[in-house]
Amino acid sequence: MSAATPLRALPLDILRERTSTKWRRYPHDVLPLFVAETDFPLAPPIARALARAVEIGDTGYTPPEPGIAAAYAGFARRRFGSEIDPSRVRTTCDVMMGVVEILRLVIEPGDRVIVTTPVYPPFFDCIPEAGGVVERVPLTDAGAGWELDLLGVEAALAGGARAVLLCNPHNPTGTVHSRESLAALADLAADYGASVISDEIHAPLIHPGVTFTPFLDASATAAQVGYSVTSASKAFNLAGLKCALMVTATDETAALVRTLPVEVEWRTGLFGAIAAVAAFSEESDEWLDSLLATLDENRRLLADLLAEHVPRAKYRVPDAGFLAWVDLTDLGWGENPAVKVLRDAKVALHLGPQFGDEGSGHVRINFGCSPDVLREAVTRMGTLASS
C-alpha cells in the first residue's frame, strides 16, 4: 500500500469566510491556532451526503436508527481492530453531554471523579454538572512522555473516588495510553467498585508507529467497568453538527446506558448523524489517511520550527491528534504565556492554565493547518522571544 498523499489546507482567504469560533473569535490580523478546529476541506463523502440532504430538504428529526452504530462498528474494526456490537451503541449531542449522562448513572451526588491533569478543560465543568466533585491525579512525566499515575489513581480510589474520567488519546499531550496501563487502570477500578469513562474522540488520529487501544478492549475487566464516548467531530471537523456515540462492551453496562431517557438520543443532530455515517464509511478512509499524512508532517515541522525560532520551548511530538502541548516557562512569559503571544505576536494559542495547575507556563498549539500558517505563527513567536 502506497503512502497517502498529504491533504492540503484551504487558503486563508477562504478560511476567513468561515463563521465558526476559530475564525470569528479574533480579528483578521490574528493567526488562530487555539480551538480544536482544522483548516481542511470536508471529506468528499461527507460533503456529498450533506449537500444531498440540503438539496432534498432532509432537515427534520433524527431517526431512531440513522445507521451510525453499524458505521462506527465497521470503522472501529478497520482502524483499531476492535469488535463493537452495534446494539451496544447509543448516540447523543456531543461527547461531553455523553460523559455527563453516563456519570449520572454511575456516581451519586458529591462523589469524587478522577481526572488526569493537564486535561481537556470541559472535564472540570462536566463533572460538577453531573453532581460529582473533581479529583486531580496528574499524569506522570516519564521523561520520554507522559503516563497514568496508577499509584495516585489507586490512592484516590482508596479514598473514595467513584469514577475515572479518562482522556484516551490524551488532550492536550497527545499521549496514547498503553494497553498495559489501561488494563491496570481497569483492575484498580474493579477493585474499588468504580467506573471508567473514556473520552476517545481523538482515536481516529493516531500517528504512524503508534498503536491505539480502546479502553473497552484493554482487558475483560475494562469491558466490565468501562464506557467509551466518541465522535467523528475532531478527525473530520464536524463539531458544529452535533453527534456523539456512547459505547459499551457488556450486557450489564449496555443495559444501564439504555436506561437513559430517549431525549438523550433525540439531542443527536440529523446533519451530525448523516455526516458521521459518511465519515465512518470506508469511502472516507482515503481522506482520513491523507489528513494523517499532513498531521504527521506538521507535528514534526512544529518541532523543527520551535527549535529554530523558540529554542527555549519544550515540546514532545504527540502520538495522536493535531494538538501540541508546549512548555514556554523558560521564556519568562508568566503562568499564562498565551496572553502575551496573542497581544504581542498576534497568534492565538489555547491558554495552558485552563488545563489545570500543570498548565502553568504552557500553551496548546493547533497544528491542524497549512505548513505556511504554522511557520508564520512560530516565526512571530520567535520574534517575540528574541525581542
Side-chain angles (χ1 to χ4, degrees):
M1 177 176 164
S2 59
T5 302
L7 193 63
R8 293 178 64 88
L10 293 169
L12 268 176
D13 60 334
I14 300 297
L15 290 167
R16 293 200 185 279
E17 294 183 30
R18 289 182 174 180
T19 61
S20 62
T21 291
K22 184 173 186 180
W23 297 100
R24 291 300 169 94
R25 177 76 177 272
Y26 298 107
H28 281 190
D29 61 343
V30 172
L31 288 178
L33 278 69
F34 67 114
V35 72
E37 299 179 27
T38 54
D39 295 353
F40 306 98
L42 284 178
I46 298 174
R48 289 194 296 269
L50 292 173
R52 180 59 177 164
V54 171
E55 181 182 3
I56 65 174
D58 190 8
T59 55
Y61 292 108
T62 306
E65 294 291 343
I68 301 170
Y72 183 68
F75 180 86
R77 186 179 303 113
R78 295 192 311 276
R79 309 298 295 199
F80 316 137
S82 181
E83 293 296 329
I84 290 172
D85 182 345
S87 70
R88 293 174 176 162
V89 178
R90 291 193 74 181
T91 66
T92 191
C93 179
D94 56 39
V95 165
M96 286 300 98
M97 186 172 288
V99 166
V100 169
E101 296 297 343
I102 294 173
L103 275 174
R104 286 174 174 152
L105 295 175
V106 301
I107 67 170
E108 298 293 334
D111 282 347
R112 284 175 285 125
V113 178
I114 297 166
V115 297
T116 55
T117 49
V119 77
Y120 183 50
F123 277 23
F124 301 115
D125 296 324
C126 73
I127 290 170
E129 183 181 348
V133 176
V134 174
E135 177 149 353
R136 294 166 170 82
V137 178
L139 294 175
T140 296
D141 187 338
W146 290 270
E147 298 176 354
L148 296 172
D149 178 2
L150 294 171
L151 290 176
V153 170
E154 181 171 20
L157 291 171
R162 304 302 301 155
V164 180
L165 179 49
L166 180 70
C167 203
N168 179 43
H170 195 86
N171 174 7
T173 64
T175 304
V176 174
H177 300 299
S178 70
R179 179 182 294 272
E180 292 74 19
S181 64
L182 295 174
L185 176 64
D187 288 342
L188 290 173
D191 288 345
Y192 291 95
S195 301
V196 178
I197 302 168
S198 185
D199 171 357
E200 299 186 351
I201 197 170
H202 293 275
L205 298 173
I206 304 301
H207 292 304
V210 180
T211 299
F212 171 70
T213 302
F215 180 77
L216 299 179
D217 287 357
S219 67
T221 302
Q224 292 167 356
V225 302
Y227 303 82
S228 171
V229 190
T230 191
S231 173
S233 64
K234 284 293 183 286
F236 295 91
N237 204 44
L238 304 173
L241 299 186
K242 297 302 178 184
C243 176
L245 298 83
M246 299 173 287
V247 183
T248 51
T250 68
D251 290 342
E252 293 75 17
T253 51
L256 188 60
V257 171
R258 278 196 292 270
T259 67
L260 290 171
V262 68
E263 182 62 30
V264 172
E265 213 151 34
W266 271 108
R267 295 168 186 162
T268 307
L270 179 58
F271 273 22
I274 291 169
V277 170
F280 292 138
S281 73
E282 198 165 358
E283 283 186 290
S284 291
D285 282 358
E286 182 179 356
W287 181 94
L288 180 57
D289 289 338
S290 292
L291 172 67
L292 287 168
T294 297
L295 298 182
D296 183 31
E297 291 182 355
N298 281 2
R299 66 182 179 139
R300 300 175 191 281
L301 173 62
L302 179 58
D304 294 340
L305 291 170
L306 288 171
E308 178 182 357
H309 296 284
V310 196
R312 285 180 287 171
K314 298 173 184 175
Y315 161 63
R316 291 174 178 146
V317 176
D319 297 329
F322 52 85
L323 305 171
W325 189 234
V326 181
D327 184 354
L328 301 180
T329 303
D330 288 351
L331 279 81
W333 291 351
E335 67 177 19
N336 200 359
V339 173
K340 180 176 177 64
V341 174
L342 175 61
R343 183 187 65 232
D344 298 337
K346 302 299 183 185
V347 177
L349 308 176
H350 209 306
L351 309 176
Q354 290 188 352
F355 295 82
D357 294 343
E358 297 74 22
S360 179
H362 290 66
V363 295
R364 194 189 72 178
I365 301 176
N366 178 346
F367 57 83
C369 57
S370 73
D372 289 342
V373 167
L374 191 60
R375 191 173 289 109
E376 172 64 18
V378 179
T379 299
R380 292 186 190 185
M381 292 172 62
T383 300
L384 182 60
S386 61
S387 61

